[in-house]
Amino acid sequence: MSVAILTDSNSGITMADAEKLGVHVIPMPLYINDKLYFEDLTLSQEQFYEFLEAGAAVHTSMPAPGDVMDMWDKLLAEYDEIVHIPMSSGLSSACENEIILARDEKYEGRVFVVDNQRISVTMKQSVIDAKALADKGFSGKEIAETLYETGLDASIYITVATMEYLKKGGRVTAAAAGIATILNIKPVLQIQGGKLDQFTKPRGMKAAKKDMKAAIRMDLDGRFAKFLKENKMGLYIAYTKDKEAAEAFAEELKAEFPEISGDIMIDPLSLSVSCHIGPGALAVAASRIIDENDIVK
């Protein structure tokens, strides 16, 4: 039984990454000044930030159902099954749409759409885990059920450099954004279970990073303690535009969390997320790493 692993570019997996990993990616569509672009296909990170900082009108969108089904048909000509890992349903309705498409008799029992409540680097870890399980011969159903059951074993904490894009998106009022700017507040937001919530309101980036490290420490010592003891936890950094800041933060994390044995993955945030938070954002994440011993029977 051969199983293809499919995701979308909200995972941060580029076309080049996908080829190296042996997985498949649907590029997310974005409209910029009413023109349609596809992440990493017709729009690079560099081009995106040029548009964004020039004040272009940027709107996210969902993959067209026809494009999704075309990808499924292409993969099913080569593979027996597909495990499709989209962006969390808590952050986009694309996941629910794809679950409905997979109920069609043409795909039922062959395409497994997994809503495991992930985005960005934690979503990428799910893709890597799924590919490893597929290579070991597990079925699409087994992989999908395992990803679903373990999906909440991850956390993301993110801070923004500017309130401008949260204000533009209506996520904060103009008055709140103005006060935050005056007070140099760098809010830390939390993503768990597909929901984006405010976590703390530190003043300055240094304090924001301190809060994020404290939050990860709390998770590692608390709800992730069992997985940490089993050496099955990973640490990750995601960023918008400023890679040097992300690399410097990675060095801080290595010193802060020596018990994490693996490398810290550093990836740019997907453009669908970046357009809502702007350049200079920084995130730290932790995720359980699953293997064949975690398979749901």
Side-chain angles (χ1 to χ4, degrees), residues 192-236:
Q192 283 186 8
K195 295 181 179 179
L196 181 65
D197 298 309
Q198 184 171 283
F199 187 66
T200 60
K201 294 181 180 180
R203 295 179 67 174
M205 188 59 74
K206 183 177 180 180
K209 291 194 290 184
K210 182 179 179 181
D211 282 2
M212 290 193 291
K213 287 188 286 187
I216 290 293
R217 170 56 67 196
M218 182 174 61
D219 286 342
L220 291 178
D221 291 346
R223 62 196 190 96
F224 297 151
K226 177 179 181 292
F227 312 130
L228 181 62
K229 186 176 180 180
E230 295 171 350
N231 198 29
K232 295 171 72 171
M233 285 300 301
L235 279 184
Y236 316 82

Side-chain angles (χ1 to χ4, degrees), residues 62 92 122 133 159 163 180 209 219 238 240 296:
M62 297 183 295
S92 169
T122 59
L133 293 173
T159 188
M163 300 292 287
K209 291 194 290 184
D219 286 342
T240 59
V296 175

Side-chain angles (χ1 to χ4, degrees), residues 113-212:
V113 180
V114 184
D115 182 13
N116 75 329
Q117 306 292 305
R118 301 283 185 98
I119 184 67
S120 186
V121 285
T122 59
M123 182 177 169
K124 182 176 181 178
Q125 184 63 56
S126 290
V127 173
I128 292 170
D129 291 343
K131 174 59 176 170
L133 293 173
D135 288 346
K136 290 183 181 295
F138 291 100
S139 70
K141 182 179 180 181
E142 288 173 315
I143 296 168
E145 289 182 353
T146 302
L147 292 178
Y148 179 79
E149 289 296 324
T150 60
L152 296 180
D153 296 331
S155 295
I156 299 177
Y157 300 93
I158 183 168
T159 188
V160 298
T162 172
M163 300 292 287
E164 181 64 25
Y165 298 92
L166 290 173
K167 181 183 74 174
K168 279 186 177 181
R171 286 165 175 79
V172 297
T173 65
I179 292 170
T181 300
I182 292 170
L183 297 178
N184 194 30
I185 291 173
K186 306 296 182 187
V188 173
L189 309 174
Q190 176 185 38
I191 302 176
Q192 283 186 8
K195 295 181 179 179
L196 181 65
D197 298 309
Q198 184 171 283
F199 187 66
T200 60
K201 294 181 180 180
R203 295 179 67 174
M205 188 59 74
K206 183 177 180 180
K209 291 194 290 184
K210 182 179 179 181
D211 282 2
M212 290 193 291

Side-chain angles (χ1 to χ4, degrees), residues 263-280:
D263 292 334
I264 296 175
M265 182 193 299
I266 304 174
D267 272 351
L269 276 163
S270 71
L271 303 185
S272 295
V273 177
S274 301
C275 68
H276 297 299
I277 57 178

